[in-house]
Amino acid sequence: MGRRVFGALALLTALSVVGAACGSSSKPGAAGTTTNTSAQAVPNGGTLVIGAEEEPDCFDWLGGCSGSSWGTWMAQIETVPYAFRDVMKDGQVVEEPGAVLTGMPTFTATPVETITYHITPAAVWSDGVPITCTDFQYTAIQQQTSKDIYDPTGYVDSDGKADLTVTCPDPKTAVVKYKAGDSFAGWHQLFASAVGILPAHLLQGKDRDKTLKDGYTWSGGPWFAKWNKGDDIVLTPNPKYWGAKPHLDKVVFKFESDTAAEFQAFKSGQVDAIYPQPQLDVVSEIKAGLTGAHSQYNAKTGTIEALWPNDQRFPFDSKAVRQAFAYAIDRAAIVQKLFGALDVTAPANSLNPYILQDYSDQNSFAGYHYDLAKVTSLMTGAGWAKGPDGIWAKNGKRAAFTIVSTSGDKRRELTEEIMQPELKAAGFDMAIKNTTADNLFGQLLPAGNYDLGLYAEGVTGLIPGLCSTFCTKSIPTKANGSTGNNTSFYSNPAADKLLIQVDNNLDDSVRRTDAKQADDILASDMAALPLDPLPDIAIWSDKVVGPIQDNPIEGMFWNIDQWGLAK
Amino acid sequence: MLKYLIRRLLASVPVLVIASLITFWLVRISVDPLAKFRRLRDSAQVIPKQRHLLGLDRPIIVQWWKWVTHFARGDMGISTRTQDPVSSMIARALWPTLQLLFWGTIFSVAVAIVLGVYSAVKQYSIGDYAFTGLSYLGIAMPDFWLGLLAIGLLVTGPKVWFHLNNPIFYSIGLHNEGVKGFNLDYIRHIVLPAFVLTASSVASWSRFERASMLEVLNSDYVRTARAKGVPRRQVIFKHALRNALIPFTTVTALDTAGLIAGVIIIEQIFSISGMGQAFLVALQTGDAQFLLAWFFFSAVAVIFVNLLADVLYVVLDPRIRFS
Amino acid sequence: MSLTEPLPRPPVANPERGALEPEARTNWQLFRRRFIRHRLALISIVILGILMIACYGATWLAPHKQNVQNLLQGDLGPSWRHPFGTDDLGRDQLSELMYAGRISLTIGLAVALLSTAVGVTIGAVAAYFGSLTDQLLSALTDLFLILPDLALLAVAVQHFGHGESPIIFVLAAISWTYLARVVRAQVLSLKEKEFVEAARASGASSRRILMQHILPNCLGPIMVNATLTVALAISAEAALSFLGLGVQPPHTSWGLMLAQAEPYINSTSKWYLVFFPGFMLLITILAVNFLGDALRDALDPQSRF
């Protein structure tokens, strides 16, 4: 049912550690403030009930059973302090220091990358113990040494060894120093971005996973989160929070995984807001009619659904074939069919999602429109000829391949269904064989055991750079234990050079130019074909007031402490 | 009688063993317990370690035996999805499903018997045809259709049409947040799911009851009883009903096992976190340990219900000899 | 008719005699006469006939080919050009229903036939021969009862791919136990009757006794069960499609069409996407069951009419 699949690769889009870079893509601002798009005063009190499509597997945000977006949206950002938050300002995602810091951390690149965090003096945990540098230390050491950490990028180097140390000149100052010669350009993600800062005094010496996984009673944020397994997650205000107190008395996230039932629950008032994933039946529900509800459809998200040919396997090992393939599909029509009801009309034209527009050429793939004449000229120019069955053939081999995607995903099935006859008409024979997500991402892709994949890639933070997806060194091989993320098996030294610069270069303007150029190379090589931006869908009723706005990274509930119940 | 029961129980054991072995093998070949480790960065080192830890490098029989012996001690393993002990997950999931089955079954059996008897006695009347038609509707409508229609017409509909503050019936879970116990809130939650479960079972059961009743009503000894002047009502209740219940109990027992699919769908739609939902999630996330325990419990449930049916069968028809 | 009236007993072929009485008509004539009185059953036969011709002849009769997408013609309501409307890919729903019916009907009929054959055989043999045979076959029945049907299907689907055959085999594997138990129960109680003793005494073979004497008296529940199985199989397929374990696109079935129309169940705008597949399911199941009822009444020589 509705489930946004990021793919294991997507979450590892974070940079690997080489070279030095600095660069601040955030605008300076007072810690913890957000734009209030609603001028009216929000009343206090009341209980809000929200429908949640997925129950998290556990509350151990760092560990192997994490990676659930819903867990982060419902409970983590509400209870765990973050060094940096991704907030919405004027409709754009912007990085800002979290309420736990007094302001932007101090950054120097020489002699060694050093970041100094200044912790808010009033910041305390819910039991009254102050939030101190010790908590930063504990979190860093957990990320570096604990087994089954979900994503230790930035804390360890490419060999998995600790890459930074945290020292405490005083309790309210944390100094992070990278090893000499190493650095990490995406340092905004440290102690933020689905990790956060954990309370050392409550977890030191204990098995972190066991202690956290069933939920916890402490908080470093505006709310407490109580997890009633199978039923709901309940938020109640944390009286010891040093920032602005929430307006609501209680927020209940009720689990409801069937889309049709979820919409009925919304229409019948059993839930006041829902945040459905952009699945096919969700769009159908919206088409079926949603009177009197407020809704926000946001196509400017961090996730792109794309077609990923195996660039080293026949027939996609030929650039001409890849390009012809791109002209053989009517991407605009697919997007219109899938998301037209949500006012999403244009296909994604870059392998970088919209929120990374500053580090990409958002129109790099715009040239690939539906053009059968172009298909013919490209294929014949490369020595192909149409056989008696209307399928291209060269040296006795037909242009036949199999597309693989995650089974049970109706949107992807529909995409495949639309593509199949289109490609047939253009002379390509495509078979469909879907499988489980585990099999696809865990087995087929890393082994290169596929022809063409259909899945989404997304970013969980403002982390530019496609090197981990397209650099030659990221190709999974026996040597690196098949852990590379370039499962397209794409290799182009010119692109490599540029992508590495995006990762490493100190000069932000150089990063941006190189990123744009790299995008254009990827497009002309047709390394992969972006299809549609996966929109966010936020729906709420009249009962809910406040600056409700979708946040493609932190989710719709990023500022739920500012919401209220209409009187 | 007791000897028969014990014999049946003992006979069930080898069946359970074989079923368990087959299920174990099925789960092993279809669900990869190492799946989550393949996504980790250092999967190349972790996977052989985990394979050995989980005993996956031993032959299937050995793995199965290890699982059975642990299970007998109450250790059902750790869920690969949540890291919770499977036993506590099952305990948590069993209770809501039992409630659903309890209310659904009681209501179904009662309605089925009444409808079936009425239809048989008043064969070919308008009532018979009406009930027949409704029964077929119940069989024909898939549970999810019926469930959503019920929600639309009985939950959302009244709330919207009559501008109520709260819907009359609820469609999420078994309780509102923070509310516990058997009270009006519970009733408002359980009515619709139980009703949907009933509607699909009642159909086939009442058809069978009707057919059985007809057979018996037309039989010689009932005619003889009537000819002898036994009052009609007495004939129906004493002779006909009792003998019609014989195949009915067998059918009911079998169909209760077949209710599993219905329970899964209903729990999905009404968001009841019972065994049905748990199974779906485990299937989708490849939670092998949980699935093994789940299958075992459903097998035991089937055996139990069938034994119950056998007992009832003997009680109702003492003419059966056991060779 | 009530139980108080004395009944005129028409001359009936008495299976307990094993021979026809001189004044009686043939079995076939009696059967036909009783059957014809079931008007609903006659209508059902007609309806089923139409359905089967339409669905199995879809290749020639359907106005469009299967899975022909026309994105410009998507989301249309019923019209002259598309009597049942189109879905969001512009596929003509009437044609889709006909092709889908082929799969749904095949699944229903195949499951019923297969499970009835297996179930009756096992149940009768187990009950008649008793002792060890009974115990073994009952154990086998229990095994199939206990084996988790959904696991079977989830695995079958992964190994053999989605398709009609795994679904048919798995649904049949679940359904036969149902009938085996019922038949066993019936045969057990019939086994002790006088006419069986008589037949045995007159030297009839076990097989003859079973086929000619006992089973005909079980026809009632067998027919009811067989027709019920068709209904249950077709609707089980719908449930499986809902869970994603049934027929997969680009193939389609009534169950899958209904499952895909789930978001529109409570909406008035696209009612036709829900109504027509559901209606097909309903009339098929009704027709099959009326047929079964009529067959049971007609075949049971002891029933009144």
Side-chain angles (χ1 to χ4, degrees):
Chain A
M1 318 300 149
R3 184 186 180 123
R4 182 185 299 185
V5 179
F6 278 79
L9 319 169
L11 284 150
L12 298 175
T13 313
L15 305 163
S16 48
V17 181
V18 181
C22 85
S24 156
S25 53
S26 72
K27 306 194 173 64
T33 58
T34 58
T35 318
N36 195 331
T37 55
S38 156
Q40 63 190 90
V42 173
N44 285 328
T47 302
L48 210 57
V49 182
I50 301 179
E53 286 190 343
E54 245 181 62
E55 184 175 7
D57 292 336
C58 73
F59 269 34
D60 174 21
W61 312 118
L62 273 54
C65 76
S66 68
S68 155
S69 321
W70 274 98
T72 303
W73 297 337
M74 289 189 286
Q76 189 183 12
I77 55 177
E78 285 85 359
T79 57
V80 174
Y82 275 26
F84 275 93
R85 292 285 302 267
D86 294 296
V87 302
M88 299 301 290
K89 270 208 164 78
D90 303 321
Q92 301 290 330
V93 179
V94 153
E95 271 178 341
E96 265 191 7
V100 73
L101 302 179
T102 58
M104 274 293 286
T106 327
F107 177 89
T108 52
T110 55
V112 129
E113 179 171 349
T114 309
I115 310 145
T116 312
Y117 298 93
H118 309 283
I119 305 169
T120 306
V124 291
W125 298 103
S126 51
D127 55 2
V129 171
I131 300 179
T132 62
C133 168
T134 324
D135 303 316
F136 280 72
Q137 275 180 330
Y138 173 79
T139 309
I141 292 176
Q142 283 294 303
Q143 283 283 101
Q144 290 164 342
T145 60
S146 183
K147 54 178 173 64
D148 87 348
I149 289 294
Y150 193 63
D151 184 12
T153 314
Y155 302 84
V156 299
D157 58 19
S158 43
D159 294 323
K161 298 271 188 304
D163 210 26
L164 56 79
T165 51
V166 183
T167 49
C168 305
D170 66 72
K172 285 293 185 175
T173 310
V175 178
V176 167
K177 264 200 172 71
Y178 274 87
K179 252 186 0 215
D182 280 353
S183 62
F184 180 51
W187 59 272
H188 284 203
Q189 310 306 315
L190 296 175
F191 308 108
S193 194
V195 173
I197 303 158
L198 296 179
H201 69 288
L202 292 172
L203 298 173
Q204 193 74 263
K206 300 204 182 120
D207 182 333
R208 184 207 74 248
D209 184 59
K210 264 211 179 62
T211 316
L212 292 180
K213 72 177 176 65
D214 293 329
Y216 44 85
T217 50
W218 51 263
S219 172
W223 303 94
F224 286 121
K226 181 165 191 307
W227 184 17
N228 300 311
K229 289 201 183 184
D231 289 332
D232 47 49
I233 291 178
V234 181
L235 300 180
T236 44
N238 169 14
K240 284 260 176 10
Y241 181 63
W242 62 96
K245 302 282 190 290
H247 294 285
L248 292 162
D249 290 334
K250 202 194 274 192
V251 177
V252 179
F253 289 99
K254 280 202 128 167
F255 306 126
E256 171 67 82
S257 54
D258 181 83
T259 307
E262 178 189 36
F263 273 81
Q264 287 298 312
F266 176 73
K267 291 182 195 180
S268 64
Q270 291 177 79
V271 298
D272 306 309
I274 51 178
Y275 192 40
Q277 299 304 290
Q279 260 305 334
L280 214 54
D281 35 7
V282 170
V283 180
S284 300
E285 284 285 351
I286 293 174
K287 276 204 262 197
L290 210 55
T291 49
H294 302 273
S295 56
Q296 184 188 11
Y297 311 131
N298 181 14
K300 301 177 173 168
T301 59
T303 315
I304 305 260
E305 184 129 281
L307 290 159
W308 309 83
N310 184 339
D311 297 341
Q312 280 186 6
R313 199 191 247 212
F314 179 87
F316 292 116
D317 48 356
S318 145
K319 177 160 121 171
V321 172
R322 294 199 299 268
Q323 288 179 327
F325 169 79
Y327 284 108
I329 306 174
D330 192 350
R331 295 183 301 138
I334 292 178
V335 173
Q336 173 67 32
K337 214 59 224 179
L338 291 181
F339 301 123
L342 306 180
D343 298 328
V344 179
T345 45
N349 276 322
S350 165
L351 288 166
N352 279 300
Y354 178 84
I355 58 174
L356 291 178
Q357 54 174 332
D358 291 337
Y359 296 88
S360 66
D361 177 2
Q362 287 287 301
N363 288 315
S364 44
F365 283 81
Y368 291 111
H369 51 275
Y370 186 55
D371 190 340
L372 287 178
K374 263 285 192 8
V375 175
T376 311
S377 70
L378 279 163
M379 294 298 278
T380 49
W384 296 75
K386 272 204 179 168
D389 57 356
I391 305 296
W392 295 105
K394 180 175 172 181
N395 300 333
K397 288 175 95 176
R398 293 167 75 244
F401 48 87
T402 307
I403 189 171
V404 63
S405 187
T406 54
S407 47
D409 185 317
K410 297 195 184 121
R411 183 188 69 235
R412 291 180 177 156
E413 282 167 11
L414 188 61
T415 309
E416 292 167 334
E417 279 191 292
I418 298 178
M419 284 170 60
Q420 200 176 35
E422 254 178 13
L423 285 167
K424 189 106 185 269
F428 296 98
D429 181 1
M430 179 179 90
I432 303 174
K433 190 171 162 69
N434 296 329
T435 182
T436 61
D438 281 336
N439 190 28
L440 177 62
F441 298 113
Q443 307 262 45
L444 297 180
L445 291 176
N449 210 346
Y450 73 103
D451 298 330
L452 176 68
L454 168 64
Y455 55 89
E457 275 232 355
V459 292
T460 52
L462 288 178
I463 316 163
L466 287 171
C467 193
S468 61
T469 317
F470 288 114
C471 276
T472 310
K473 65 178 168 131
S474 303
I475 293 181
T477 61
K478 283 242 175 0
N480 60 28
S482 291
T483 55
N485 292 319
N486 181 354
T487 51
S488 297
F489 295 87
Y490 171 78
S491 179
N492 182 333
D496 281 353
K497 230 164 63 159
L498 291 163
L499 289 172
I500 290 174
Q501 287 300 308
V502 176
D503 276 7
N504 303 336
N505 202 309
L506 279 126
D507 188 341
D508 202 49
S509 61
V510 171
R511 288 176 86 198
R512 291 172 189 226
T513 333
D514 284 2
K516 284 190 169 53
Q517 274 188 296
D519 254 20
D520 293 333
I521 295 185
L522 290 172
S524 74
D525 277 351
M526 233 311 288
L529 185 61
L531 209 47
D532 33 76
L534 289 187
D536 281 347
I537 303 169
I539 299 174
W540 65 96
S541 73
D542 281 330
K543 278 174 78 178
V544 191
V545 292
I548 302 153
Q549 186 175 28
D550 177 49
N551 180 326
I553 295 183
E554 289 197 354
M556 174 190 178
F557 317 112
W558 65 285
N559 60 354
I560 200 168
D561 44 316
Q562 298 176 38
W563 296 15
L565 218 49
K567 281 278 177 269
Chain B
M1 166 71 165
L2 191 63
K3 247 177 65 178
Y4 171 71
L5 259 184
I6 292 184
R7 224 177 359 156
R8 284 284 287 145
L9 209 61
L10 286 175
S12 309
V13 171
V15 174
L16 192 57
V17 165
I18 298 181
S20 161
L21 195 49
I22 295 180
T23 317
F24 189 91
W25 168 76
L26 275 175
V27 170
R28 271 288 172 265
I29 63 172
S30 61
V31 179
D32 178 12
L34 296 172
K36 54 180 292 221
F37 297 110
R38 294 188 200 278
R39 302 209 217 179
L40 294 180
R41 309 208 100 193
D42 54 350
S43 58
Q45 292 95 13
V46 168
I47 288 196
K49 224 173 35 163
Q50 286 294 330
R51 178 173 284 127
H52 183 73
L53 252 165
L54 294 172
L56 297 171
D57 41 4
R58 322 286 293 288
I60 287 254
I61 295 270
V62 173
Q63 291 183 45
W64 170 78
W65 181 247
K66 188 160 156 235
W67 178 78
V68 167
T69 46
H70 280 256
F71 194 94
R73 292 205 297 265
D75 173 14
M76 301 182 206
I78 304 286
S79 157
T80 48
R81 179 177 70 93
T82 61
Q83 317 299 316
D84 270 352
V86 171
S87 45
S88 60
M89 289 172 75
I90 296 249
R92 220 177 10 242
L94 213 44
W95 182 225
T97 302
L98 286 177
Q99 292 174 61
L100 185 62
L101 285 173
F102 177 74
W103 294 112
T105 310
I106 283 193
F107 194 55
S108 304
V109 169
V111 172
I113 290 183
V114 166
L115 283 189
V117 168
Y118 180 88
S119 285
V121 167
K122 294 229 188 285
Q123 194 180 15
Y124 304 131
S125 68
I126 304 256
D128 181 20
Y129 282 127
F131 286 133
T132 304
L134 280 174
S135 300
Y136 288 138
L137 206 66
I139 301 178
M141 292 180 105
D143 286 337
F144 65 90
W145 189 13
L146 193 55
L148 283 167
L149 214 50
I151 295 180
L153 294 174
L154 295 171
V155 179
T156 316
K159 200 248 176 200
V160 168
W161 304 326
F162 305 129
H163 300 288
L164 304 170
N165 267 337
N166 286 313
I168 306 174
F169 300 110
Y170 293 116
S171 62
I172 310 183
L174 291 178
H175 300 276
N176 272 337
E177 188 268 325
V179 180
K180 287 196 204 306
F182 186 83
N183 46 29
L184 187 62
D185 177 80
Y186 178 71
I187 294 178
R188 284 162 83 180
H189 277 96
I190 194 85
V191 163
L192 282 189
F195 163 69
V196 174
L197 201 62
T198 302
S200 46
S201 321
V202 119
S204 36
W205 291 350
S206 69
R207 297 305 301 151
F208 223 96
E209 177 66 14
R210 177 182 180 276
S212 308
M213 264 308 265
L214 279 173
E215 297 272 344
V216 170
L217 282 175
N218 296 331
S219 67
D220 281 346
Y221 74 92
V222 168
R223 285 210 191 98
T224 314
R226 291 293 298 128
K228 280 200 213 159
V230 180
R232 176 183 176 179
R233 177 160 277 158
Q234 200 180 350
V235 167
I236 293 176
F237 281 132
K238 194 154 171 231
H239 293 100
L241 186 60
R242 190 173 161 148
N243 284 278
L245 279 174
I246 295 172
F248 180 64
T249 55
T250 317
V251 166
T252 307
L254 295 170
D255 208 27
T256 307
L259 273 179
I260 289 179
V263 163
I264 290 180
I265 293 180
I266 289 173
E267 285 187 2
Q268 160 94 341
I269 296 209
F270 288 94
S271 208
I272 296 174
S273 54
M275 293 288 271
Q277 274 265 54
F279 171 78
L280 264 188
V281 174
L283 193 65
Q284 284 162 358
T285 54
D287 193 350
Q289 284 296 113
F290 183 85
L291 286 173
L292 289 173
W294 190 93
F295 286 136
F296 187 85
F297 273 91
S298 70
V300 164
V302 171
I303 291 180
F304 173 73
V305 172
N306 275 286
L307 270 178
L308 201 61
D310 276 348
V311 168
L312 281 174
Y313 181 63
V314 167
V315 160
L316 288 172
D317 188 357
R319 292 179 303 153
I320 301 300
R321 289 187 303 143
F322 296 98
S323 48
Chain C
M1 286 200 254
S2 80
L3 283 165
T4 51
E5 295 168 22
L7 303 158
R9 296 250 341 179
V12 197
N14 193 335
E16 295 174 348
R17 294 271 174 84
L20 296 169
E21 291 179 88
E23 315 93 289
R25 295 182 180 82
T26 65
N27 272 339
W28 167 245
Q29 283 171 320
L30 282 158
F31 166 85
R32 211 178 54 189
R33 213 165 105 189
R34 273 195 284 267
F35 192 84
I36 286 175
R37 285 171 189 263
H38 280 262
R39 292 213 186 79
L40 275 173
L42 294 176
I43 300 178
S44 301
I45 291 187
V46 171
I47 290 183
L48 280 174
I50 295 178
L51 276 176
M52 294 186 76
I53 294 175
C55 295
Y56 286 108
T59 325
W60 305 279
L61 295 170
H64 296 86
K65 291 253 162 286
Q66 205 241 334
N67 200 26
V68 167
Q69 299 167 21
N70 188 347
L71 298 184
L72 295 171
Q73 296 267 313
D75 292 325
L76 297 176
S79 62
W80 280 119
R81 194 156 156 207
H82 298 284
F84 288 174
T86 61
D87 65 6
D88 49 358
L89 286 184
R91 292 180 287 210
D92 175 46
Q93 289 300 284
L94 175 57
S95 312
E96 290 294 304
L97 271 173
M98 290 165 75
Y99 284 101
R102 203 192 287 180
I103 296 189
S104 293
L105 287 173
T106 307
I107 291 180
L109 293 170
V111 170
L113 278 168
L114 197 53
S115 64
T116 303
V118 175
V120 168
T121 312
I122 293 192
V125 167
Y128 189 75
F129 291 108
S131 73
L132 192 62
T133 318
D134 186 9
Q135 288 195 4
L136 278 174
L137 286 176
S138 290
L140 186 66
T141 313
D142 283 345
L143 184 65
F144 269 85
L145 260 179
I146 293 170
L147 276 181
D149 31 355
L150 286 159
L152 285 173
L153 195 59
V155 176
V157 138
Q158 265 178 328
H159 279 255
F160 304 113
H162 297 264
E164 293 150 53
S165 309
I167 298 175
I168 290 174
F169 282 120
V170 170
L171 287 181
I174 307 163
S175 316
W176 73 257
T177 55
Y178 198 83
L179 190 57
R181 288 292 288 240
V182 170
V183 167
R184 178 178 172 277
Q186 285 279 48
V187 172
L188 269 182
S189 59
L190 282 171
K191 188 163 90 162
E192 312 302 327
K193 292 211 168 164
E194 305 79 24
F195 71 87
V196 173
E197 302 249 6
R200 213 180 282 137
S202 73
S205 75
S206 301
R207 182 152 159 258
R208 190 185 167 88
I209 296 178
L210 267 175
M211 299 281 282
Q212 283 211 352
H213 299 289
I214 296 187
L215 282 182
N217 284 306
C218 295
L219 270 178
I222 292 179
M223 288 310 312
V224 171
N225 196 274
T227 50
L228 209 56
T229 306
V230 176
L232 290 173
I234 293 186
S235 99
E237 193 274 314
L240 289 171
S241 295
F242 175 74
L243 293 172
L245 295 173
V247 169
Q248 293 279 295
H251 300 290
T252 186
S253 71
W254 287 335
L256 185 59
M257 290 176 79
L258 190 58
Q260 285 173 333
E262 192 202 358
Y264 302 115
I265 286 177
N266 283 308
S267 91
T268 43
S269 57
K270 297 208 196 316
W271 61 272
Y272 47 90
L273 289 177
V274 179
F275 179 74
F276 290 112
F279 183 67
M280 290 301 142
L281 278 173
L282 184 61
I283 56 171
T284 307
I285 290 171
L286 275 176
V288 166
N289 273 285
F290 283 135
L291 198 58
D293 267 1
L295 280 172
R296 183 194 58 76
D297 285 346
L299 286 168
D300 184 352
Q302 305 221 323
S303 78
R304 301 162 299 152
F305 52 91

